[in-house]
Amino acid sequence: EGFYDASYTIKESNTTVSIQIKENKPVRVNNINISSDFDINSLVTFHKGEIFNASKFIDIKKNIIKSLLDSGYCSYDLDTKAFVDLQNHTVDLRYWLQKGDVCRFGDTHIEGLESIDEDIVTSKVMAKKGDIFSTKATKETINKLYGLQAFDSVVVNVDRKIYNVIPVDIKVQEIKKPYHIEYGAGYDTYAGPRVHAKLIKHNFMGNAQRLILNMAWSSQEQLYTTEFFKPVWINLHGYNVDLDIKGGYSNLEYDGF
């Protein structure tokens, strides 16, 4: 990129195709003008005399927008332009930005719940009402909701904006195949033949609860465990506490040396 006067010739024979490209004089950055009330100097990585690259110009704009959103500015006014002079093989770059006011998260709206209570979902929402807008909080919300292992699909939409307030629109689809089964067999030089099996029931009796049954058997070892997980078991002074309990039986016969 940056070679706007490049030329090429194509030569063909019975067995080959030869392409010759002549780059000619490239377009280089002549001037960089930045007018901004938000520090973007480190993001504008062009330098005077550098060969102009359109892809880099686009990426810089994306990085500026990302930095604004990460800092809570969603009402920015950004204008980026590249004025190319083909006769002189130069380009003047202009970056004009007004960051606007800081945006904050608004109310949370949830769609798609069938057997799971809203408070289970809201307990995993990191984009809390009144907090400064952050794309990081949005991503963390998605990860935590998937971490419940009770949804096939989670979409968190923050595209709406009402006077610098951004509602959090969450759309979920509860898991359709809640059972997960593992089993296998093998041979151990000490224990001999052994088998194992595990059954996981996601969204067990609703509310994103999870039940895990685990079994392993050989002539030397027997293992049977049950694990139960319940999100938002209790709320202590505004902090949600999950419940995760595990119990069972384990027996390992060891003859020593």
Side-chain angles (χ1 to χ4, degrees):
E1 293 188 53
F3 296 90
Y4 291 83
D5 288 335
S7 59
Y8 65 91
T9 57
I10 301 177
K11 296 180 180 180
E12 298 183 29
S13 67
N14 292 333
T15 57
T16 62
V17 176
S18 175
I19 302 176
Q20 291 184 333
I21 300 175
K22 186 176 182 181
E23 294 178 338
N24 292 318
K25 188 175 181 180
V27 171
R28 295 184 181 274
V29 177
N30 176 62
N31 185 51
I32 305 172
N33 181 272
I34 299 176
S35 178
S36 173
D37 58 359
F38 181 81
D39 186 12
I40 60 173
N41 290 297
S42 62
L43 301 175
V44 180
T45 53
F46 277 113
H47 302 283
K48 288 185 178 181
E50 178 183 343
I51 295 176
F52 178 67
N53 185 304
S55 296
K56 181 177 179 179
F57 182 76
I58 294 171
D59 288 340
I60 287 174
K61 182 176 181 178
K62 291 179 180 178
N63 291 335
I64 291 173
I65 293 173
K66 181 179 182 299
S67 182
L68 285 164
L69 294 177
D70 287 344
S71 300
Y73 296 101
C74 70
S75 298
Y76 58 85
D77 188 2
L78 173 64
D79 184 49
T80 61
K81 283 187 169 58
F83 300 96
V84 179
D85 185 339
L86 292 178
Q87 183 175 355
N88 294 313
H89 296 90
T90 61
V91 60
D92 294 332
L93 306 179
R94 188 186 78 172
Y95 296 89
W96 183 89
L97 170 63
Q98 286 187 337
K99 64 178 184 288
D101 295 327
V102 170
C103 297
R104 295 184 181 275
F105 288 113
D107 293 323
T108 298
H109 306 275
I110 304 169
E111 295 181 20
L113 294 178
E114 297 176 13
S115 63
I116 300 174
D117 294 339
E118 273 200 10
D119 63 333
I120 304 295
V121 175
T122 55
S123 71
K124 303 302 178 183
V125 174
M126 298 294 101
K128 305 292 186 183
K129 183 178 180 179
D131 287 353
I132 294 176
F133 174 79
S134 165
T135 53
K136 181 181 178 181
T138 304
K139 293 176 182 177
E140 287 180 351
T141 297
I142 295 173
N143 291 336
K144 285 184 174 293
L145 288 175
Y146 272 125
L148 289 172
Q149 300 180 38
F151 301 109
D152 284 332
S153 173
V154 175
V155 177
V156 178
N157 195 323
V158 289
D159 291 340
R160 293 193 296 141
K161 183 176 65 174
I162 307 170
Y163 299 110
N164 296 322
V165 175
I166 301 180
V168 181
D169 298 321
I170 300 176
K171 188 172 183 179
V172 298
Q173 183 181 46
E174 294 186 10
I175 191 168
K176 299 301 181 184
K177 297 181 179 180
Y179 287 98
H180 175 76
I181 300 174
E182 298 178 14
Y183 55 88
Y187 182 84
D188 186 275
T189 54
Y190 170 73
R194 62 196 313 268
V195 294
H196 71 274
K198 178 185 285 188
L199 170 66
I200 303 175
K201 175 65 161 65
H202 298 290
N203 200 24
F204 174 68
M205 298 180 69
N207 279 338
Q209 298 177 143
R210 186 163 61 250
L211 180 68
I212 302 175
L213 305 177
N214 191 36
M215 183 275 288
W217 179 91
S218 72
S219 61
Q220 301 295 323
E221 180 184 13
Q222 298 82 45
L223 174 69
Y224 309 95
T225 63
T226 301
E227 184 175 352
F228 176 71
F229 171 76
K230 177 181 177 62
V232 194
W233 176 46
I234 56 175
N235 186 288
L236 295 176
H237 307 290
Y239 292 93
N240 292 307
V241 178
D242 297 341
L243 174 67
D244 194 349
I245 56 176
K246 183 176 182 179
Y249 168 80
S250 177
N251 177 53
L252 174 64
E253 298 179 9
Y254 183 63
D255 298 332
F257 296 99

